[in-house]
Amino acid sequence: MAGEPPAGLVGGLSTQQALALRQTHGPNALAIQQTRPLWRSALEVAREPMFLLLMACLVLYFLIGDWQEGLALMVSVVAVMGITLVQERRTERALDALKDLASPRALVIRDGQRQRIDAQALVPGDLMVLLEGDRVPADGVLVQANNLQTDESLLTGESVPVDKQATTLPGPWSMAPLGDDSACCVFSGALVVQGQGFAQVLATGAHSEIGRIGGALSLIETGRTPLQEATRRMVRGVAAGVLVLGVAVLLIMGLTRGDWVQAALAAIAWSMALLPEEFPVVLTIFLALGAWRMSRRHVLTRRMPALETLGAATVLCVDKTGTLTENRMRVVRLALTDALDQEWTLDDTGQWPPRFAELVDLAVLASRREPFDPMEVAIHAVKPAGSLREDWTLTREYPLAPELLAVSRVWQAPGADHQLIATKGAPEAIASLCHLPPDQVQALLAQVQRMAGQGLRVLGVARARTPLGPLAESVHDFDFEFVGLIALADPVRAEVPHAMAQCRQAGIRIIMITGDYPATASSIAHQAGIGTVDGTLGCLTGAEVAQMDDVQLREAMQATHVIARATPELKLRIVRALQARGEVVAMTGDGVNDAPALRAADIGIAMGGRGTDVAREASDLILTDDRFSSIVEAIGLGRRIYANLTKASGYIVAVHIPIAGLAMFPVLTGGPLMLLPIHVAFLELMIDPACSIAFEAEPEEARAMREPPRRGPTSLFGASGIWPWVFQGLLLLSAVLSVHAWAQHQSDDVAQVRALSFSTLVLGNMALILGRRAGGQANHAMWAVVGGTGLVLALILSWPWLRGLFGLAWPGAQAAAACALVGVVLWPALMAVRALDSRQPARPAGP
């Protein structure tokens, strides 16, 4: 952590003070974009082709004096608009909920304790704790800083980090303007790229620098995805084609029959039947509600295209600590350099003999006073009460670096004539600092290898002394003495082996990337279930990866499951190598240096609990509980979203074929119109909720996580393409036209024939919906749509006023039974088509 705040600010604000200040200053938020008003949403709906066709038909009915049909169609128009607006509001509420969940967090000191709070709750006077990788949540003045640098490019456009220093002036303070005079100030929106510090908040919300500039950061993208844009263009193009064909139908019927009113109604009905305007609505609803469902599985969606990609992931690169393990480290063994074979194993009490006092004391001094890192927390947990020297001064810290995996902290005791340097880190790095002879290094590493082989994380501890005065720039310039080893254990999460088995069934390869010693990493990997079915585990070290060229690395990644002693900088090369092999890569990360790899991965997953703001902003998804099982659940949900999207899209195609066919049949044969605009409007009232509610709520299919990931570009209609759906649509059309021909043979009454044809179409539509059910878990939304449609159809046929409104006649018991029989037979026939489609061989998981 960032050390201790100045004496006068140790306690920070109290909760009561913060609440009172928030009443005065308001939330720490920029101007919130207002929700689009209802009238503007209604105007957007009114511009859609389907709505324009309905309005044209409505006007036509009123012009010819058919008020009953006109009023009925008006009800349909209002219902269509209502359903669309409700769906849009549902989408907005889902996205608003995601924004609330993903709002930035701030670490502050309140009531004398460090607390993580919503950044919107910050008020002037709050004491912010700034750590490397954080985004500054409000404008403030630095009251303490340790090697602090911030990236203010969001505000200034300059990407060079700015050095920051604590103010030496007594309060009250005021903000300096951006520029050379602002070295003691931090600004909302800036990123802490190095060091730590404390800052007192001076300006929040609209009063901050970013508020005055008018900039805004958005954690949730609500714009259309590429798939949505492509679909929208497709619908617009189809609409233009439908318009041309509609005009052609109008002219043909008008010129051949001389009844221009009927010709206009036929043209409008046929245009409505052909227009697949549900596609944009379905995509918007599925992606927004899919993101909301993800959030309930502890995964926040920052970029909607990730939902289109997640189910296709073939490789998942994860770190170990906190994701596969419990992130609850405990010191379990101690060993001194001069007696490595005399280890001490700690029991649950954490007690150890006095001879290990210096080893533990130095490990504590090499850690932060108020630790955040799990290893440092575990080290502090075994220190004796009062052992930390509160009156010692920390004069410098040499942080972890890729070339030296060790942390050194320089301390000065009151009245001492020297400074003490406590160091902890990778045993080989500590051995290098201490310049141990080869035989000692060999014995040391053998001991480390034995401990690591038992799944323990091993740290070396060393000390050095240096005279008072300026310190060397490099930690290698000090004369270190190796003191001993500390071994820590972090058990694998209980649910991880099962989640690994799910990944193996789903054709997803797991690669663990960790900074641990190879033996430790391999032991944890075996416990977690990583590797092939026969237990084969390919392991590389970061040093080996660094020595490979891109071609060698690409080949090596084919059989690699563990990369040990890895640095964050290597993650980007690993991602590129896997992608060059044709893999779809999901990558987890939490640090500043992980950001390039997260951005380059097909799906970047940031750790929400321990991750930095930089990592979160570079990611597509944020894991709020840092658990590996949540990632696996999200992949399963991603596959469910995509599968249900293909069902809804295919259903749109299939259901429009019989509607268009029945509307066009009289035009080709010269018979009376079977489908009027009011019939198509009724069908639209069924199709819309079936697409966006019933199919969206479909549970995950049992086989979803037992098949390899899909390959190739994302298709709206799944791996089988559009043709199975076209076949089902033609099958339904054949059934409807067969009933239509039979009805014409039985009776010359147009209303009777229309009733049977329309009823068969509605019943076939219900069978089409049920024919694509996943089975297993209940889908109450789907049964509500199907049941509601059946009840409304029965009401239309049984209520004389509605029968007259729809131009139908009571079909009679025999005819109704025949119609129902066709609907019942259609269901297993459509199920058989689905079964044949499901038997297609799965695509291979490999490139």
Side-chain angles (χ1 to χ4, degrees):
M1 300 295 280
E4 297 296 333
L9 300 172
V10 169
L13 296 178
S14 67
T15 301
Q16 291 75 17
Q17 288 174 318
L19 289 173
L21 286 167
R22 185 167 185 181
Q23 293 293 325
T24 303
H25 296 276
N28 176 37
L30 301 177
I32 300 173
Q33 184 178 0
Q34 296 296 321
T35 302
R36 187 165 55 174
L38 193 62
W39 67 267
R40 188 176 292 277
S41 298
L43 183 62
E44 287 292 323
V45 176
R47 294 170 54 189
E48 292 296 327
M50 178 63 72
F51 188 85
L52 294 175
L53 288 171
L54 286 170
M55 289 301 298
C57 188
L58 176 62
V59 171
L60 184 60
Y61 274 129
F62 284 143
L63 287 177
I64 65 176
D66 194 341
W67 293 93
Q68 191 178 47
E69 290 280 357
L71 289 174
L73 199 58
M74 181 181 288
V75 172
S76 298
V77 168
V78 172
V80 169
M81 177 176 283
I83 289 176
T84 304
L85 293 177
V86 167
Q87 290 169 341
E88 182 174 304
R89 288 293 183 230
R90 189 181 179 199
T91 299
E92 289 180 355
R93 285 196 299 271
L95 291 174
D96 287 342
L98 288 178
K99 287 180 179 178
D100 291 340
L101 286 169
S103 61
R105 309 285 289 173
L107 183 61
V108 299
I109 294 181
R110 281 192 184 169
D111 299 320
Q113 296 182 342
R114 300 188 186 215
Q115 302 177 20
R116 283 277 179 188
I117 64 171
D118 191 318
Q120 293 191 17
L122 281 173
V123 295
D126 260 325
L127 188 60
M128 302 183 290
V129 184
L130 302 176
L131 302 173
E132 184 175 311
D134 285 352
R135 187 172 287 281
V136 180
D139 288 4
V141 62
L142 282 165
V143 294
Q144 182 175 305
N146 181 15
N147 298 325
L148 189 68
Q149 288 186 340
T150 63
D151 177 357
E152 297 175 351
S153 58
L154 183 70
L155 302 165
T156 64
E158 298 294 333
S159 59
V160 178
V162 180
D163 290 314
K164 296 293 180 177
Q165 298 175 351
T167 181
T168 57
L169 300 175
W173 300 290
S174 60
M175 290 297 298
L178 273 168
D180 295 336
D181 297 329
S182 60
C184 63
C185 296
V186 289
F187 298 92
S188 178
L191 284 170
V192 179
V193 296
Q194 179 179 303
Q196 308 92 27
F198 291 88
Q200 188 172 62
V201 176
L202 298 183
T204 59
H207 301 290
S208 65
E209 189 70 25
I210 194 173
R212 286 192 291 271
I213 293 173
L217 294 174
S218 173
L219 289 181
I220 300 293
E221 292 186 356
T222 59
R224 295 187 179 94
T225 70
L227 189 57
Q228 283 177 300
E229 287 293 350
T231 303
R232 195 174 184 85
R233 287 194 298 270
M234 178 193 73
V235 172
R236 297 284 183 183
V238 171
V242 167
L243 178 62
V244 173
L245 292 174
V247 172
V249 170
L250 173 66
L251 294 175
I252 292 171
M253 287 194 68
L255 292 172
T256 57
R257 301 190 185 187
D259 189 343
W260 288 96
V261 172
Q262 288 296 310
L265 291 175
I268 291 173
W270 195 63
S271 299
M272 291 170 61
L274 275 181
L275 187 65
E277 53 88 29
E278 298 89 357
F279 277 116
V281 175
V282 164
L283 276 173
T284 302
I285 292 289
F286 269 66
L287 293 178
L289 293 184
W292 175 74
R293 291 185 188 279
M294 285 279 188
S295 71
R296 301 181 69 185
R297 305 285 184 94
H298 308 289
V299 180
L300 301 185
T301 306
R302 293 194 66 252
R303 296 184 177 89
M304 290 297 184
L307 296 181
E308 301 170 11
T309 313
L310 187 58
T314 60
V315 174
L316 178 56
C317 299
V318 298
D319 55 357
K320 176 183 72 68
T321 304
T323 305
L324 300 180
T325 63
E326 294 181 358
N327 200 21
R328 187 171 48 84
M329 296 210 119
R330 185 169 65 90
V331 175
V332 294
R333 287 187 199 167
L334 303 174
L336 298 176
T337 305
D338 55 0
L340 287 176
D341 57 341
Q342 298 179 17
E343 297 176 6
W344 178 264
T345 300
L346 283 74
D347 56 20
D348 293 337
T349 65
Q351 300 297 315
W352 37 264
R355 68 177 184 273
F356 295 101
E358 185 184 21
L359 173 64
V360 174
D361 197 34
L362 287 169
V364 170
L365 289 172
S367 307
R368 294 192 171 105
R369 270 184 167 160
E370 291 193 17
F372 179 76
D373 180 87
M375 287 190 297
E376 295 188 346
V377 171
I379 291 170
H380 272 261
V382 297
K383 76 179 189 297
S387 65
L388 186 60
R389 298 162 176 79
E390 300 292 344
D391 56 345
W392 283 31
T393 303
L394 178 66
T395 57
R396 182 165 179 176
E397 178 177 346
Y398 295 89
L400 190 78
E403 63 276 6
L404 183 66
L405 300 177
V407 174
S408 301
R409 292 165 68 84
V410 185
W411 296 89
Q412 182 176 341
D417 60 354
H418 65 277
Q419 298 179 80
L420 175 68
I421 307 169
T423 300
K424 72 177 191 312
E428 62 269 30
I430 302 300
S432 174
L433 282 177
C434 296
H435 306 293
L436 295 180
D439 58 332
Q440 291 187 26
V441 172
Q442 186 176 1
L444 174 69
L445 295 183
Q447 178 74 354
V448 170
Q449 180 75 15
R450 191 178 64 79
M451 289 182 174
Q454 300 168 8
L456 302 181
R457 177 73 181 268
V458 187
L459 297 176
V461 178
R463 66 166 180 265
R465 290 182 173 83
T466 186
L468 299 178
L471 294 168
E473 288 301 315
S474 173
V475 72
H476 285 281
D477 294 335
F478 299 113
D479 186 15
F480 280 99
E481 180 183 353
F482 207 119
V483 177
L485 300 173
I486 290 184
L488 304 97
D490 184 12
V492 172
R493 292 183 186 270
E495 72 276 7
V496 165
H498 175 66
M500 288 291 176
Q502 286 183 297
C503 288
R504 190 177 293 112
Q505 281 187 334
I508 302 169
R509 183 156 63 101
I510 307 299
I511 298 177
M512 185 177 80
I513 304 175
T514 177
D516 266 350
Y517 201 76
T520 303
S522 297
S523 176
I524 295 296
H526 279 299
Q527 294 175 42
I530 296 176
T532 60
V533 177
D534 61 2
T536 303
L537 188 68
C539 182
L540 290 175
T541 65
E544 290 171 338
V545 171
Q547 292 174 359
M548 295 179 183
D549 60 28
D550 292 342
V551 175
Q552 290 173 324
L553 180 58
R554 185 168 67 243
E555 294 301 318
M557 293 309 300
Q558 180 176 1
T560 298
H561 300 90
V562 174
I563 299 179
R565 280 293 185 255
T567 60
E569 288 77 8
L570 291 177
K571 286 188 176 183
L572 180 58
R573 286 197 64 204
I574 293 167
V575 169
R576 296 297 191 200
L578 289 167
Q579 289 173 330
R581 293 186 53 80
E583 306 285 1
V584 178
V585 183
M587 166 72 75
T588 68
D590 56 10
V592 176
N593 292 334
D594 292 333
L598 291 174
R599 180 69 74 189
D602 298 285
I603 308 130
I605 305 172
M607 300 295 106
R610 66 180 188 274
T612 62
D613 287 344
V614 180
R616 285 192 285 268
E617 290 176 14
S619 67
D620 303 296
L621 304 174
I622 300 174
L623 200 64
T624 60
D625 63 355
D626 294 0
R627 296 163 68 96
F628 176 77
S629 57
S630 294
I631 302 176
V632 179
E633 289 177 6
I635 292 173
L637 186 55
R639 292 188 176 190
R640 168 191 164 179
I641 291 169
Y642 178 73
N644 289 347
L645 178 60
T646 62
K647 291 176 186 176
S649 301
Y651 165 75
I652 292 171
V653 172
V655 77
H656 276 275
I657 290 174
I659 295 174
L662 190 57
M664 191 62 182
F665 186 72
V667 177
L668 300 176
T669 61
L673 296 179
M674 287 294 103
L675 285 185
L676 301 174
I678 191 170
H679 301 129
V680 181
F682 170 79
L683 290 167
E684 284 295 325
L685 292 177
M686 179 183 179
I687 293 170
D688 278 348
C691 293
S692 56
I693 297 175
F695 280 113
E696 194 280 330
E698 267 289 86
E700 181 180 318
E701 295 193 23
R703 64 177 187 172
M705 289 296 284
R706 294 201 295 266
E707 292 186 342
R710 67 179 187 271
R711 289 283 182 177
T714 299
S715 166
L716 273 175
F717 306 104
S720 302
I722 196 173
W723 294 110
W725 299 102
V726 171
F727 184 74
Q728 290 189 62
L730 292 173
L731 182 63
L732 180 51
L733 175 60
S734 300
V736 171
L737 292 181
S738 297
V739 170
H740 175 76
W742 178 80
Q744 280 185 320
H745 180 72
Q746 295 293 317
S747 172
D748 293 331
D749 185 357
V750 173
Q752 182 92 352
V753 175
R754 182 182 289 131
L756 288 172
S757 302
F758 177 70
S759 299
T760 305
L761 179 56
V762 173
L763 291 173
N765 194 2
M766 295 162 62
L768 187 63
I769 295 172
L770 294 175
R772 279 286 163 170
R773 280 230 52 222
Q777 303 177 43
N779 183 349
H780 300 296
M782 182 170 287
W783 285 110
V785 170
V786 172
T789 302
L791 289 174
V792 174
L793 176 62
L795 183 63
I796 291 172
L797 292 175
S798 60
W799 189 358
W801 182 80
L802 282 177
R803 280 205 309 269
L805 185 63
F806 276 76
L808 307 178
W810 176 250
Q814 182 181 2
C819 180
L821 180 62
V822 171
V824 170
V825 171
L826 264 175
W827 188 357
L830 293 170
M831 290 286 286
V833 173
R834 179 197 173 201
L836 290 174
D837 178 30
S838 301
R839 288 173 60 188
Q840 287 195 354
R843 295 181 179 186

